[in-house]
Amino acid sequence: MTVTAELSGVSIRSLRLYERHGPLTPDRPAGGTRRYSDDDLIRLQRITALVGAGVNLVGIARVLELEDAGTALAADNTTLRAERISRHD
């Protein structure tokens, strides 16, 4: 957590707050230590940008949820298009 705070410029207190309210969910293996991935650091940058824009934590969680859903839909759309193209060849 300390390394992530240093890399991101976000306080440990804020990291805990984001984790508690859901917009950030690092892996927690059996030992209980948090493991932040590169994707978590990218998400943290997005959270920081939204906080800077004045969005509250509930709003941030919703924005991230919608962005994740949009990303999943785009991936599904790409897969469906590829399947359609391969059926017509």
Side-chain angles (χ1 to χ4, degrees):
M1 192 171 228
T2 302
V3 172
T4 301
E6 289 174 7
L7 288 173
S8 66
V10 174
S11 71
I12 292 174
R13 182 176 180 206
S14 292
L15 288 173
R16 286 188 179 121
L17 181 69
Y18 301 154
E19 186 178 340
R20 189 176 317 119
H21 291 282
L24 188 65
T25 53
D27 286 338
R28 290 190 100 160
T33 59
R34 294 167 180 90
R35 290 197 179 160
Y36 293 92
S37 67
D38 289 339
D39 288 339
D40 289 328
L41 291 173
I42 291 167
R43 191 171 187 87
L44 188 54
Q45 288 175 336
R46 184 69 177 126
I47 292 168
T48 302
L50 290 167
V51 167
V55 181
N56 66 26
L57 286 178
V58 173
I60 289 170
R62 185 67 178 139
V63 167
L64 294 175
E65 179 184 307
L66 290 170
E67 288 177 351
D68 291 346
T71 299
L73 286 172
D76 289 347
N77 189 23
T78 299
T79 301
L80 289 171
R81 285 177 188 235
E83 289 173 359
R84 190 180 82 205
I85 289 169
S86 68
R87 282 188 294 220
H88 292 288
D89 286 342

